[in-house]
Amino acid sequence: MIGYFDKKAFAKLLNLALGKRSINQYERDSGVSAAHISRLMRELVDAPPSPQTIEKLSVKAHNRISYDDFMKAAGHLSLEPIKELNSVPQGTSKLKESDRDDLEKSITLTKMVEIPVYSMNVIEGEEIFAESNIIGWQHVPVEKMNYICFKIPDDSMSSSGIYKDYVVTVKKQNTALDGNLVVVRLNNGSVLIRRVRYFNDEVLLDPENPGYLTIRVKADDIEIIGVVTDVTFKVI
């Protein structure tokens, strides 16, 4: 079972793993950039860190925060109780009971449900949400049971940390704000993930990879399927 990227839980784990060090010292110890660590701690990163990055963070983590702890919060592993968080080596600070309780609640008490993952490789005239277009299932918190997921078909949004074969969770709605990350369908049947911008009577669909071009369309020529809320590393 694979979950979703719980940014709040991951940030809490990272703060505990940091211990009494500065972020710059954690960078020197782990080899992960201080800027990336800082953004993760401030919950500014939409895509979960890769298992390789998590391994670097966990090897030099304080307070007995483990690789599995990070992997569960990132959505790469199933959610299971985090045990013995107060069993820390001599010479390190012991976790406060309130920290342990909050961490366990944020990671282990989240009720999960399965929602379908759809392919974005839809031909013109084909129904996006046809049962035949379901290629897998994703576990999400129960409050997102009416959301949908799509498997990313390319690297058009790679600068945002969203790569081919990642899965995005989408809140279904037919409107979006300027700058939202959206899944849209063009009038030729293509289904895309793009950053949306509005300019006069046009809609600009921006990739986040220099190898792809911005698409300019009239508002009537696209259908907004929904706004992306979460990104998960998952190969289906």
Coordinates of all heavy atoms in Angstrom, one line a residue, residues 71-156:
M71 N 9.9 7.7 4.8 CA 9.3 7.1 3.6 C 7.8 7.0 3.8 O 7.0 7.2 2.8 CB 9.9 5.7 3.4 CG 11.3 5.7 2.9 SD 11.4 6.3 1.1 CE 10.9 4.8 0.3
K72 N 7.3 6.7 5.0 CA 5.8 6.7 5.2 C 5.2 8.0 5.1 O 4.2 8.2 4.4 CB 5.6 6.1 6.6 CG 5.9 4.6 6.7 CD 5.9 4.2 8.2 CE 6.5 2.8 8.3 NZ 6.7 2.4 9.8
A73 N 5.8 9.1 5.6 CA 5.3 10.4 5.5 C 5.3 10.9 4.1 O 4.5 11.7 3.7 CB 6.1 11.4 6.4
A74 N 6.3 10.5 3.3 CA 6.4 10.9 1.9 C 5.5 10.1 1.0 O 5.3 10.5 -0.1 CB 7.9 10.6 1.4
G75 N 4.8 9.1 1.5 CA 3.9 8.3 0.8 C 4.5 7.2 0.0 O 3.8 6.5 -0.8
H76 N 5.8 6.8 0.2 CA 6.4 5.8 -0.5 C 6.1 4.4 0.2 O 6.3 3.4 -0.5 CB 7.9 6.0 -0.5 CG 8.3 7.2 -1.3 ND1 7.7 7.7 -2.4 CD2 9.3 8.1 -1.0 CE1 8.3 8.8 -2.8 NE2 9.2 9.1 -2.0
L77 N 5.8 4.4 1.4 CA 5.5 3.1 2.2 C 4.1 3.2 2.8 O 3.6 4.3 3.0 CB 6.6 2.9 3.2 CG 8.0 2.6 2.8 CD1 8.9 2.4 4.0 CD2 8.1 1.4 1.9
S78 N 3.6 2.1 3.2 CA 2.3 2.0 3.9 C 2.5 2.7 5.3 O 3.5 2.7 5.9 CB 1.9 0.6 4.1 OG 2.8 -0.2 4.8
L79 N 1.3 3.1 5.8 CA 1.3 3.8 7.1 C 1.2 2.8 8.2 O 0.3 2.0 8.3 CB 0.1 4.8 7.1 CG 0.1 5.9 6.1 CD1 -1.2 6.7 6.2 CD2 1.3 6.7 6.2
E80 N 2.2 2.8 9.1 CA 2.2 1.9 10.2 C 2.6 2.7 11.4 O 3.2 3.8 11.3 CB 3.2 0.8 10.0 CG 2.8 -0.1 8.9 CD 3.9 -1.2 8.6 OE1 4.9 -1.1 9.3 OE2 3.7 -2.0 7.7
P81 N 2.3 2.3 12.6 CA 2.7 3.0 13.8 C 4.2 3.3 13.9 O 5.0 2.4 13.6 CB 2.2 2.2 15.0 CG 1.1 1.3 14.4 CD 1.5 1.1 13.0
I82 N 4.6 4.5 14.3 CA 6.0 4.8 14.5 C 6.3 4.4 16.0 O 5.7 5.0 16.9 CB 6.3 6.3 14.3 CG1 6.1 6.6 12.8 CG2 7.7 6.6 14.7 CD1 6.3 8.0 12.5
K83 N 7.2 3.5 16.2 CA 7.4 2.9 17.5 C 8.7 3.5 18.1 O 9.7 3.8 17.4 CB 7.5 1.4 17.4 CG 6.2 0.8 16.9 CD 6.4 -0.7 16.7 CE 5.1 -1.4 16.2 NZ 5.3 -2.8 16.0
E84 N 8.7 3.5 19.4 CA 9.9 3.8 20.2 C 10.5 5.1 19.8 O 11.8 5.3 19.8 CB 10.9 2.7 20.1 CG 10.4 1.4 20.6 CD 11.4 0.2 20.5 OE1 12.5 0.5 19.9 OE2 11.1 -0.9 20.9
L85 N 9.7 6.2 19.5 CA 10.3 7.5 19.2 C 11.0 8.1 20.4 O 11.8 9.0 20.3 CB 9.2 8.4 18.7 CG 8.7 8.2 17.3 CD1 7.6 9.2 17.0 CD2 9.9 8.4 16.3
N86 N 10.7 7.6 21.6 CA 11.3 8.1 22.8 C 12.6 7.3 23.2 O 13.3 7.7 24.1 CB 10.4 8.1 24.0 CG 9.5 9.4 24.0 OD1 9.9 10.4 23.4 ND2 8.3 9.3 24.6
S87 N 12.9 6.3 22.4 CA 14.1 5.5 22.7 C 15.2 6.1 21.9 O 15.5 5.6 20.8 CB 13.8 4.0 22.4 OG 12.8 3.5 23.1
V88 N 15.9 7.1 22.5 CA 17.0 7.7 21.8 C 18.3 7.4 22.4 O 18.3 7.1 23.6 CB 16.7 9.3 21.7 CG1 15.5 9.6 21.0 CG2 16.7 9.8 23.1
P89 N 19.4 7.5 21.7 CA 20.7 7.1 22.2 C 21.1 8.1 23.3 O 20.6 9.3 23.3 CB 21.6 7.2 21.0 CG 20.7 7.2 19.8 CD 19.4 7.8 20.2
Q90 N 21.9 7.7 24.2 CA 22.5 8.6 25.2 C 23.2 9.7 24.6 O 23.9 9.6 23.6 CB 23.4 7.8 26.1 CG 23.9 8.6 27.4 CD 24.7 7.8 28.3 OE1 25.0 6.6 28.0 NE2 25.1 8.3 29.4
G91 N 22.9 10.9 25.1 CA 23.6 12.1 24.6 C 22.7 12.9 23.6 O 23.1 14.0 23.1
T92 N 21.6 12.3 23.2 CA 20.7 13.1 22.3 C 19.4 13.5 23.1 O 19.1 12.8 24.1 CB 20.2 12.2 21.1 OG1 19.6 11.1 21.5 CG2 21.4 11.8 20.3
S93 N 18.8 14.5 22.7 CA 17.6 15.0 23.4 C 16.4 14.1 23.2 O 16.2 13.6 22.1 CB 17.2 16.4 22.9 OG 17.0 16.4 21.6
K94 N 15.7 13.8 24.3 CA 14.5 12.9 24.2 C 13.3 13.7 23.7 O 13.1 14.8 24.1 CB 14.2 12.4 25.6 CG 13.2 11.2 25.7 CD 13.2 10.7 27.1 CE 12.3 9.4 27.1 NZ 12.2 8.9 28.5
L95 N 12.5 13.0 22.9 CA 11.3 13.7 22.3 C 10.3 14.0 23.4 O 10.1 13.2 24.3 CB 10.6 12.8 21.3 CG 11.4 12.5 20.0 CD1 10.5 11.8 19.1 CD2 11.9 13.8 19.3
K96 N 9.7 15.2 23.3 CA 8.6 15.5 24.3 C 7.5 14.5 24.0 O 7.2 14.2 22.9 CB 8.2 16.9 24.1 CG 9.3 17.9 24.5 CD 8.7 19.3 24.3 CE 9.8 20.4 24.6 NZ 9.3 21.8 24.3
E97 N 6.7 14.2 25.0 CA 5.6 13.3 24.8 C 4.6 14.0 23.9 O 4.0 13.3 23.0 CB 4.9 13.1 26.2 CG 3.8 12.1 26.2 CD 4.2 10.7 25.9 OE1 5.4 10.4 26.2 OE2 3.4 9.9 25.4
S98 N 4.4 15.3 23.9 CA 3.4 16.0 23.0 C 3.9 15.8 21.6 O 3.1 15.7 20.7 CB 3.3 17.4 23.4 OG 4.5 18.1 23.4
D99 N 5.2 15.9 21.4 CA 5.7 15.8 20.0 C 5.5 14.4 19.5 O 5.1 14.2 18.3 CB 7.2 16.1 20.0 CG 7.6 17.5 20.1 OD1 6.7 18.4 19.9 OD2 8.7 17.9 20.4
R100 N 5.7 13.4 20.3 CA 5.5 12.0 19.9 C 4.0 11.8 19.6 O 3.7 11.2 18.6 CB 6.0 11.0 21.0 CG 5.8 9.6 20.6 CD 6.3 8.7 21.7 NE 5.4 8.8 22.8 CZ 4.3 8.1 22.9 NH1 3.8 7.4 22.0 NH2 3.5 8.3 24.0
D101 N 3.1 12.3 20.4 CA 1.7 12.1 20.2 C 1.2 12.8 19.0 O 0.5 12.2 18.2 CB 0.9 12.7 21.4 CG 1.1 11.8 22.7 OD1 1.6 10.7 22.6 OD2 0.8 12.3 23.8
D102 N 1.7 14.0 18.7 CA 1.3 14.7 17.5 C 1.8 14.0 16.3 O 1.1 13.9 15.3 CB 1.8 16.2 17.6 CG 1.1 17.1 18.6 OD1 0.0 16.6 19.1 OD2 1.7 18.1 18.9
L103 N 3.0 13.5 16.3 CA 3.6 12.9 15.2 C 2.8 11.6 14.9 O 2.5 11.3 13.7 CB 5.1 12.6 15.4 CG 5.9 12.0 14.3 CD1 5.8 13.0 13.1 CD2 7.3 11.8 14.7
E104 N 2.5 10.8 15.9 CA 1.8 9.6 15.6 C 0.4 9.8 15.1 O -0.1 9.2 14.2 CB 1.7 8.7 16.9 CG 3.1 8.1 17.3 CD 2.9 7.2 18.5 OE1 1.8 7.1 19.1 OE2 3.9 6.4 18.8
K105 N -0.2 10.9 15.6 CA -1.6 11.2 15.1 C -1.5 11.6 13.7 O -2.4 11.2 12.9 CB -2.2 12.3 16.0 CG -2.6 11.9 17.4 CD -3.2 13.0 18.2 CE -3.5 12.6 19.6 NZ -4.0 13.8 20.4
S106 N -0.6 12.4 13.3 CA -0.5 13.0 12.0 C -0.2 11.9 11.0 O -0.6 12.0 9.8 CB 0.5 14.1 11.9 OG 1.8 13.6 12.1
I107 N 0.5 10.8 11.4 CA 1.0 9.8 10.4 C 0.1 8.6 10.5 O -0.2 8.0 9.5 CB 2.4 9.5 10.6 CG1 3.3 10.7 10.3 CG2 2.9 8.3 9.7 CD1 4.8 10.5 10.5
T108 N -0.3 8.1 11.7 CA -0.8 6.8 11.8 C -2.4 6.8 11.9 O -3.0 5.8 11.7 CB -0.3 6.0 13.0 OG1 -0.7 6.7 14.2 CG2 1.2 6.0 13.0
L109 N -3.0 7.9 12.3 CA -4.4 7.9 12.5 C -5.2 8.5 11.3 O -6.4 8.7 11.4 CB -4.7 8.7 13.8 CG -4.1 8.1 15.0 CD1 -4.6 8.9 16.3 CD2 -4.4 6.6 15.2
T110 N -4.5 8.7 10.2 CA -5.2 9.2 9.0 C -6.0 8.0 8.3 O -5.4 7.0 7.9 CB -4.2 9.7 8.0 OG1 -3.5 10.8 8.6 CG2 -4.9 10.3 6.8
K111 N -7.3 8.1 8.2 CA -8.1 7.1 7.6 C -7.9 7.3 6.1 O -8.0 8.4 5.5 CB -9.6 7.3 8.0 CG -9.8 6.9 9.4 CD -11.3 7.0 9.8 CE -11.6 6.7 11.2 NZ -13.0 6.8 11.6
M112 N -7.7 6.1 5.4 CA -7.4 6.2 4.0 C -8.5 5.4 3.2 O -9.1 4.5 3.7 CB -6.0 5.5 3.7 CG -4.9 6.1 4.6 SD -4.5 7.8 4.2 CE -3.5 7.6 2.7
V113 N -8.7 5.9 2.0 CA -9.6 5.2 1.1 C -8.9 5.1 -0.3 O -7.9 5.8 -0.5 CB -10.9 6.0 0.9 CG1 -11.7 6.0 2.2 CG2 -10.7 7.4 0.4
E114 N -9.4 4.3 -1.1 CA -8.9 4.1 -2.5 C -9.7 4.9 -3.5 O -10.9 4.9 -3.5 CB -8.9 2.6 -2.9 CG -7.8 1.8 -2.3 CD -7.7 0.4 -2.9 OE1 -8.8 -0.1 -3.3 OE2 -6.6 -0.1 -3.0
I115 N -9.0 5.6 -4.4 CA -9.6 6.3 -5.5 C -8.9 5.9 -6.8 O -7.7 5.5 -6.7 CB -9.7 7.8 -5.3 CG1 -8.2 8.4 -5.2 CG2 -10.4 8.2 -4.1 CD1 -8.2 9.9 -5.2
P116 N -9.6 6.0 -7.9 CA -9.0 5.5 -9.1 C -7.9 6.4 -9.7 O -8.0 7.6 -9.5 CB -10.2 5.4 -10.1 CG -11.2 6.4 -9.6 CD -11.0 6.3 -8.1
V117 N -6.9 5.8 -10.3 CA -5.9 6.5 -11.1 C -6.2 6.3 -12.6 O -6.3 5.2 -13.0 CB -4.5 6.0 -10.8 CG1 -3.5 6.7 -11.6 CG2 -4.2 6.1 -9.3
Y118 N -6.4 7.5 -13.3 CA -6.7 7.4 -14.7 C -5.5 7.7 -15.5 O -4.6 8.5 -15.2 CB -7.8 8.4 -15.0 CG -9.2 8.1 -14.4 CD1 -9.5 8.7 -13.2 CD2 -10.1 7.3 -15.0 CE1 -10.8 8.4 -12.6 CE2 -11.3 7.0 -14.4 CZ -11.6 7.5 -13.2 OH -12.8 7.2 -12.6
S119 N -5.5 7.2 -16.7 CA -4.5 7.5 -17.7 C -4.8 8.9 -18.3 O -6.0 9.2 -18.5 CB -4.5 6.4 -18.8 OG -3.6 6.8 -19.9
M120 N -3.7 9.6 -18.7 CA -3.9 10.9 -19.4 C -3.8 10.7 -20.9 O -3.9 11.7 -21.6 CB -2.9 11.9 -18.9 CG -3.1 12.3 -17.4 SD -1.9 13.5 -16.7 CE -2.5 15.0 -17.5
N121 N -3.5 9.5 -21.3 CA -3.4 9.2 -22.7 C -4.7 8.8 -23.3 O -5.0 7.7 -23.5 CB -2.4 8.1 -23.0 CG -1.0 8.5 -22.5 OD1 -0.5 9.6 -22.8 ND2 -0.3 7.6 -21.9
V122 N -5.6 9.8 -23.4 CA -7.0 9.6 -23.9 C -7.1 10.1 -25.3 O -6.7 11.2 -25.6 CB -7.9 10.4 -23.0 CG1 -9.4 10.2 -23.4 CG2 -7.7 10.0 -21.5
I123 N -7.7 9.3 -26.2 CA -7.9 9.7 -27.6 C -9.1 10.5 -27.7 O -10.0 10.5 -26.8 CB -7.9 8.5 -28.5 CG1 -9.1 7.6 -28.2 CG2 -6.6 7.7 -28.4 CD1 -9.3 6.5 -29.2
E124 N -9.2 11.3 -28.7 CA -10.4 12.2 -29.0 C -11.6 11.3 -29.0 O -11.7 10.3 -29.7 CB -10.2 13.0 -30.3 CG -11.3 14.0 -30.5 CD -11.0 14.9 -31.7 OE1 -10.0 14.7 -32.4 OE2 -11.8 15.8 -32.0
G125 N -12.7 11.8 -28.3 CA -13.9 11.1 -28.3 C -14.1 10.0 -27.2 O -15.1 9.5 -27.0
E126 N -12.9 9.7 -26.6 CA -13.0 8.7 -25.5 C -13.3 9.4 -24.2 O -12.9 10.5 -23.9 CB -11.6 8.0 -25.4 CG -11.6 6.9 -24.4 CD -10.2 6.2 -24.4 OE1 -9.2 6.9 -24.2 OE2 -10.2 5.0 -24.6
E127 N -14.1 8.7 -23.4 CA -14.5 9.2 -22.1 C -13.3 9.1 -21.1 O -12.7 8.0 -20.9 CB -15.7 8.4 -21.5 CG -16.1 8.8 -20.1 CD -16.4 10.2 -19.9 OE1 -17.1 10.8 -20.7 OE2 -15.8 10.8 -18.9
I128 N -12.9 10.2 -20.5 CA -11.8 10.2 -19.6 C -12.0 9.3 -18.4 O -11.2 8.5 -18.0 CB -11.5 11.7 -19.0 CG1 -11.2 12.6 -20.1 CG2 -10.4 11.6 -18.0 CD1 -11.1 14.1 -19.6
F129 N -13.2 9.3 -17.9 CA -13.5 8.6 -16.6 C -14.2 7.2 -16.9 O -14.8 6.7 -16.0 CB -14.4 9.4 -15.7 CG -13.7 10.8 -15.4 CD1 -14.4 12.0 -15.7 CD2 -12.5 10.8 -14.8 CE1 -13.8 13.2 -15.4 CE2 -11.9 12.0 -14.5 CZ -12.5 13.2 -14.8
A130 N -14.0 6.7 -18.1 CA -14.4 5.4 -18.4 C -13.7 4.4 -17.5 O -12.5 4.5 -17.2 CB -14.3 5.1 -19.9
E131 N -14.4 3.3 -17.2 CA -13.7 2.3 -16.4 C -12.5 1.7 -17.1 O -11.5 1.3 -16.4 CB -14.7 1.1 -16.0 CG -14.2 0.1 -15.1 CD -15.3 -0.9 -14.6 OE1 -16.5 -0.6 -14.9 OE2 -14.9 -1.9 -14.1
S132 N -12.6 1.6 -18.4 CA -11.4 1.1 -19.1 C -10.2 2.0 -19.1 O -9.1 1.5 -19.4 CB -11.8 0.9 -20.6 OG -12.2 2.2 -21.2
N133 N -10.4 3.2 -18.6 CA -9.2 4.2 -18.5 C -8.6 4.2 -17.1 O -7.6 4.9 -16.9 CB -9.7 5.6 -18.9 CG -8.5 6.5 -19.3 OD1 -7.6 6.1 -19.9 ND2 -8.6 7.7 -18.8
I134 N -9.1 3.3 -16.2 CA -8.5 3.2 -14.9 C -7.3 2.3 -15.0 O -7.4 1.2 -15.5 CB -9.6 2.7 -13.9 CG1 -10.7 3.6 -13.7 CG2 -8.9 2.4 -12.5 CD1 -11.8 3.1 -12.8
I135 N -6.2 2.8 -14.5 CA -4.9 2.0 -14.6 C -4.4 1.6 -13.2 O -3.3 1.0 -13.2 CB -3.9 2.8 -15.4 CG1 -3.6 4.2 -14.8 CG2 -4.3 2.9 -16.9 CD1 -2.5 4.9 -15.4
G136 N -5.1 2.0 -12.2 CA -4.6 1.7 -10.8 C -5.4 2.4 -9.8 O -6.4 3.0 -10.1
W137 N -5.0 2.2 -8.5 CA -5.7 2.8 -7.4 C -4.7 3.5 -6.5 O -3.6 3.1 -6.3 CB -6.5 1.8 -6.7 CG -7.6 1.1 -7.5 CD1 -7.4 0.1 -8.4 CD2 -8.9 1.6 -7.7 NE1 -8.6 -0.1 -9.1 CE2 -9.5 0.7 -8.6 CE3 -9.7 2.6 -7.0 CZ2 -10.9 0.9 -9.0 CZ3 -11.0 2.7 -7.4 CH2 -11.6 1.9 -8.4
Q138 N -5.2 4.6 -5.9 CA -4.3 5.4 -5.0 C -5.0 5.5 -3.6 O -6.2 5.7 -3.6 CB -4.1 6.8 -5.6 CG -3.3 7.7 -4.7 CD -1.8 7.5 -4.7 OE1 -1.4 6.4 -4.8 NE2 -1.1 8.5 -4.6
H139 N -4.2 5.4 -2.6 CA -4.7 5.6 -1.2 C -4.6 7.1 -0.9 O -3.5 7.7 -1.0 CB -4.0 4.8 -0.2 CG -4.3 3.3 -0.3 ND1 -3.7 2.5 -1.3 CD2 -5.2 2.5 0.3 CE1 -4.2 1.3 -1.2 NE2 -5.1 1.3 -0.2
V140 N -5.7 7.7 -0.4 CA -5.7 9.1 0.0 C -6.5 9.2 1.3 O -7.3 8.3 1.6 CB -6.4 10.0 -1.1 CG1 -5.6 9.9 -2.4 CG2 -7.8 9.6 -1.3
P141 N -6.4 10.3 2.0 CA -7.2 10.5 3.2 C -8.7 10.5 2.9 O -9.1 10.9 1.8 CB -6.7 11.9 3.7 CG -5.4 12.1 3.1 CD -5.4 11.4 1.8
V142 N -9.5 10.1 3.8 CA -10.9 9.9 3.6 C -11.6 11.2 3.1 O -12.5 11.1 2.4 CB -11.6 9.3 4.8 CG1 -11.6 10.3 6.0 CG2 -13.0 8.8 4.5
E143 N -11.0 12.3 3.6 CA -11.7 13.6 3.2 C -11.5 13.9 1.7 O -12.1 14.8 1.1 CB -11.1 14.7 4.0 CG -9.7 15.0 3.9 CD -8.9 14.3 5.0 OE1 -9.4 13.3 5.5 OE2 -7.7 14.8 5.3
K144 N -10.6 13.1 1.0 CA -10.4 13.3 -0.4 C -11.0 12.1 -1.2 O -10.6 11.9 -2.4 CB -8.9 13.4 -0.7 CG -8.3 14.7 -0.1 CD -6.8 14.9 -0.5 CE -6.3 16.1 0.1 NZ -4.9 16.4 -0.3
M145 N -12.0 11.5 -0.7 CA -12.6 10.3 -1.3 C -13.3 10.7 -2.7 O -13.5 9.8 -3.5 CB -13.6 9.6 -0.4 CG -14.8 10.4 0.0 SD -15.8 9.6 1.2 CE -16.2 8.1 0.3
N146 N -13.6 11.9 -2.9 CA -14.3 12.3 -4.1 C -13.3 12.9 -5.1 O -13.7 13.5 -6.1 CB -15.4 13.3 -3.8 CG -16.6 12.6 -3.1 OD1 -16.9 11.5 -3.3 ND2 -17.1 13.4 -2.1
Y147 N -12.0 12.9 -4.8 CA -11.0 13.4 -5.7 C -10.7 12.3 -6.7 O -11.2 11.2 -6.6 CB -9.7 13.8 -5.0 CG -9.8 15.0 -4.1 CD1 -11.0 15.5 -3.5 CD2 -8.7 15.8 -3.9 CE1 -11.1 16.6 -2.8 CE2 -8.7 17.0 -3.1 CZ -9.9 17.4 -2.6 OH -10.0 18.5 -1.8
I148 N -9.8 12.6 -7.7 CA -9.4 11.6 -8.7 C -7.9 11.7 -8.8 O -7.3 12.7 -8.4 CB -10.1 11.9 -10.1 CG1 -9.9 13.3 -10.5 CG2 -11.5 11.5 -10.0 CD1 -10.4 13.6 -11.9
C149 N -7.3 10.7 -9.5 CA -5.8 10.8 -9.7 C -5.5 10.5 -11.2 O -6.3 9.9 -11.9 CB -5.2 9.7 -8.9 SG -5.2 10.0 -7.1
F150 N -4.4 11.1 -11.6 CA -3.9 10.8 -12.9 C -2.4 10.4 -12.9 O -1.7 11.0 -12.1 CB -4.1 12.1 -13.8 CG -5.5 12.4 -14.2 CD1 -6.2 13.3 -13.5 CD2 -6.0 11.8 -15.3 CE1 -7.5 13.6 -13.9 CE2 -7.3 12.1 -15.7 CZ -8.1 13.0 -15.0
K151 N -2.1 9.5 -13.8 CA -0.7 9.2 -13.9 C 0.0 10.2 -15.0 O -0.6 10.4 -16.0 CB -0.5 7.8 -14.5 CG 0.9 7.3 -14.7 CD 1.0 5.9 -15.2 CE 2.4 5.5 -15.5 NZ 2.5 4.1 -16.0
I152 N 1.1 10.8 -14.6 CA 1.8 11.7 -15.4 C 2.4 11.0 -16.6 O 3.3 10.1 -16.4 CB 2.8 12.6 -14.6 CG1 2.1 13.3 -13.5 CG2 3.5 13.6 -15.5 CD1 1.0 14.2 -13.9
P153 N 2.2 11.5 -17.9 CA 2.7 10.8 -19.0 C 4.0 11.3 -19.5 O 4.6 10.7 -20.4 CB 1.6 11.0 -20.1 CG 1.1 12.4 -19.7 CD 1.1 12.5 -18.2
D154 N 4.5 12.4 -19.0 CA 5.7 13.0 -19.5 C 6.4 13.8 -18.5 O 6.0 13.8 -17.3 CB 5.4 13.8 -20.8 CG 4.4 14.9 -20.5 OD1 4.4 15.5 -19.4 OD2 3.5 15.2 -21.4
D155 N 7.5 14.5 -18.9 CA 8.3 15.4 -17.9 C 8.0 16.8 -18.2 O 8.9 17.7 -17.8 CB 9.8 15.1 -18.1 CG 10.2 13.7 -17.5 OD1 9.6 13.3 -16.6 OD2 11.1 13.1 -18.1
S156 N 6.9 17.2 -18.6 CA 6.6 18.6 -19.0 C 6.5 19.5 -17.7 O 6.7 20.7 -17.8 CB 5.2 18.7 -19.7 OG 4.2 18.2 -18.9

